[in-house]
Amino acid sequence: MSRVLMVTSEATPFVKTGGLADVLGALPPALVSIGEEVCVVIPRYGSTSLHGEDRIIHEMPLTVGPHTFTAAIDEVQREGVRYLFVDCPSLYGRSGVYNERGVDYADNHIRFAALNQAALEIARSIFTPDIFHAHDWPAGLLAPYLRETRAADSSLQSAKCVMTIHNLGYQGLFPRSHLGDIGLSPLFHPEGLEFWGQINYLKAGIVWSDAVTTVSPTYAHEMQTLEYGFGLDGVLRARASRITGILNGVDYAEWDPEHDPHVRHHYSARNLSGKRFAKQALLKELGLPLSLKRPLIGMVSRFADQKGFDLVAEIADQLAAEDLALVILGTGEARIEDALRRIAATHPERFAVHVGYDEVLAHRIEAGADMFLMPSRYEPCGLNQIYSLRYGTVPIVRSTGGLEDTVDDSTGFKFHDYSAEALLYAVRRALTAWKDRKLWRERMRRGMARDFSWTASAVEYQQLYDSIRLHSEPVLHFIPAGSDEAPSVA
Ligand code: ADP
Ligand code: GLC
């Protein structure tokens, strides 16, 4: 049994911009159910509503470089997990998590450095962990700060650090001129915090953690390649022996067509009839023609380069010529929003584009659509294709990262090349298969029977925690790719 202190910028049901939040809402309780003790440290944003269930348990000073703040720590217990909110309005009391109207907060480097200092203060005064578990770049400075703290404080001497990469595309890059703000100047070198002249939070986490994980086995391999490495492939290759890919799970209490509170018509693999009504209700809600024979394809996604909307835009006219309808829910880059709005305006009978963040509609699309499209350029894990499997909503995916690991040819349709032609060909294969209703239902049922519940993944994390606690080897320094030198010890 380990005491695990996780650090994150998002967790459902408190705050969510993407799949990271889903993971931090579900993995901690899954770990608790197999005997771990888990505490999650997370900022309390202006938008975080704790429904009056929080208790203020502590007030603490926070020091980040030359800056000092005072934070209250609010606690909410949920499914056996202690969620500790760092309540510091001058840093977090804003409407966004990372940005507002597409513009990043200018002090993000300080906001998320402070989060990690708060986690270390919590470790000293509230919850002493065996394992620190950092998620994504906002928790990247945890490992280097821990390294500094260890030197001065014996209570955290034996604690180990795991860094989970949910998305290599977001690294927490800041100009070198911000270095003074975070107090880590001695670590600004190519084997540490420095990345092509800038400060890189994620790299720091990778370099100084005892183990690095990512959210699918295929992405664990891909992120070490030039194509997918976002410039950190060399850093990762140098640590290859400490990298594990652990597939995300699904919280079936949230995502199950038999019980989903957001949809009016429920169904199961035994009795699929409710799905027809869910589709009808969705088409009506979206203002699309009420044609149940025409397959409805769904997409729910952040509008980001990663997600393959450029391919969808490229084949929009060909798709509109097919007997299908497409609903897209998402928000993000204005460029993508505009392109999709234009497509919907050109083909209103075929495409419905809903710009915004809408939890309820996301569930209704899972239930009401017949197919689910994820043509991602890269996808560390991806959750919607796994939800789709459970909803009998056949996924059409590019075979990359977690999409490759969760969908197979018997449950969905995959294409390999990142190209509009390959995507169109995969959609056409799905449309042809749709015509054989019996075989289609069999395909749906195979997907619905797949089990991606969190317990199996939680056990893998538990094994990893156990193994690094036994290992007393110090953390290795990064060796540039292609170097013949043996790794040196920090
Ligand atoms: P990522 O983390 O890269 O955004 P994932 O597939 O792992 O991708 O997770 C995305 C999560 O966010 C899913 O739970 C999905 O339903 C949700 N989501 C994304 N965009 C929206 C939106 N516009 N409205 C509601 N939920 C959304
Ligand atoms: C990231 C990835 C996504 C993954 C999620 C949760 O945002 O883009 O693929 O499912 O994190 O791990």
Side-chain angles (χ1 to χ4, degrees), residues 173-184:
L173 286 174
F174 301 103
R176 180 190 185 141
S177 53
H178 288 5
L179 204 51
D181 280 332
I182 59 172
L184 288 171

Side-chain angles (χ1 to χ4, degrees), residues 5 7 41 86 114-124 132 142:
L5 189 153
V7 181
V41 176
V86 183
L115 174 66
N116 295 291
Q117 291 292 21
L120 289 170
E121 192 48 47
I122 286 168
R124 279 188 288 260
F132 284 94
L142 185 62

Side-chain angles (χ1 to χ4, degrees), residues 211-467:
V212 174
T213 78
T214 187
V215 288
S216 70
T218 293
Y219 194 63
H221 165 74
E222 285 174 343
M223 70 181 184
Q224 297 179 53
T225 65
L226 191 63
E227 189 184 352
Y228 290 93
F230 283 97
L232 287 179
D233 46 302
V235 179
L236 289 162
R237 278 198 302 277
R239 302 181 58 75
S241 65
R242 290 177 185 226
I243 296 176
T244 325
I246 302 178
L247 199 63
N248 284 335
V250 168
D251 184 353
Y252 288 120
E254 275 286 310
W255 295 95
D256 184 337
E258 264 194 279
H259 314 287
D260 192 328
H262 301 301
V263 300
R264 285 184 212 102
H265 306 281
H266 294 121
Y267 58 91
S268 64
R270 266 172 290 108
N271 183 356
L272 288 169
S273 56
K275 190 163 175 67
R276 223 180 130 74
F277 297 110
K279 176 175 178 179
Q280 197 168 27
L282 178 64
L283 289 172
K284 217 163 158 188
E285 184 174 344
L286 298 169
L288 282 169
L290 287 181
S291 162
L292 293 181
K293 288 210 173 99
R294 171 183 292 166
L296 174 63
I297 305 180
M299 292 183 83
V300 178
S301 174
R302 288 183 295 112
F303 289 163
D305 246 3
Q306 170 193 350
K307 302 294 181 178
F309 286 105
D310 51 335
L311 299 187
V312 177
E314 218 179 310
I315 57 165
D317 291 337
Q318 281 112 309
L319 288 178
E322 298 284 345
D323 189 25
L324 58 75
L326 177 65
V327 49
I328 302 177
L329 165 64
T331 175
E333 286 173 33
R335 184 177 52 81
I336 299 177
E337 285 183 13
D338 294 344
L340 295 175
R341 278 202 174 104
R342 270 198 304 277
I343 291 168
T346 316
H347 307 285
E349 295 279 294
R350 287 282 187 264
F351 298 128
V353 172
H354 191 104
V355 175
Y357 189 88
D358 187 336
E359 198 90 33
V360 174
L361 186 56
H363 283 253
R364 291 184 179 165
I365 291 174
E366 283 296 358
D370 300 297
M371 304 169 188
F372 199 93
L373 185 56
M374 290 179 75
S376 306
R377 190 183 289 274
Y378 73 96
E379 196 62 74
C381 180
L383 294 169
N384 277 111
Q385 82 282 8
I386 320 184
Y387 304 154
S388 299
L389 288 171
R390 181 49 61 99
Y391 281 76
T393 306
V394 173
I396 304 170
V397 302
R398 175 154 180 263
S399 44
T400 181
L403 300 173
E404 167 70 6
D405 294 341
T406 52
V407 177
D408 61 56
D409 293 334
S410 74
T411 57
F413 296 86
K414 306 214 269 190
F415 64 100
H416 185 268
D417 293 347
Y418 188 79
S419 73
E421 295 74 42
L423 166 59
L424 187 60
Y425 181 63
V427 172
R428 286 188 171 143
R429 275 192 294 134
L431 295 179
T432 306
W434 162 262
K435 291 185 181 133
D436 187 327
R437 306 303 303 140
K438 185 167 170 291
L439 286 182
W440 187 266
R441 276 193 296 275
E442 283 170 16
R443 184 182 288 275
M444 286 167 71
R445 289 199 169 97
R446 276 193 297 273
M448 293 172 91
R450 294 281 194 272
D451 184 4
F452 292 96
S453 45
W454 265 106
T455 315
S457 312
V459 167
E460 287 189 60
Y461 280 107
Q462 184 174 53
Q463 286 164 350
L464 176 73
Y465 299 153
D466 291 346
S467 82

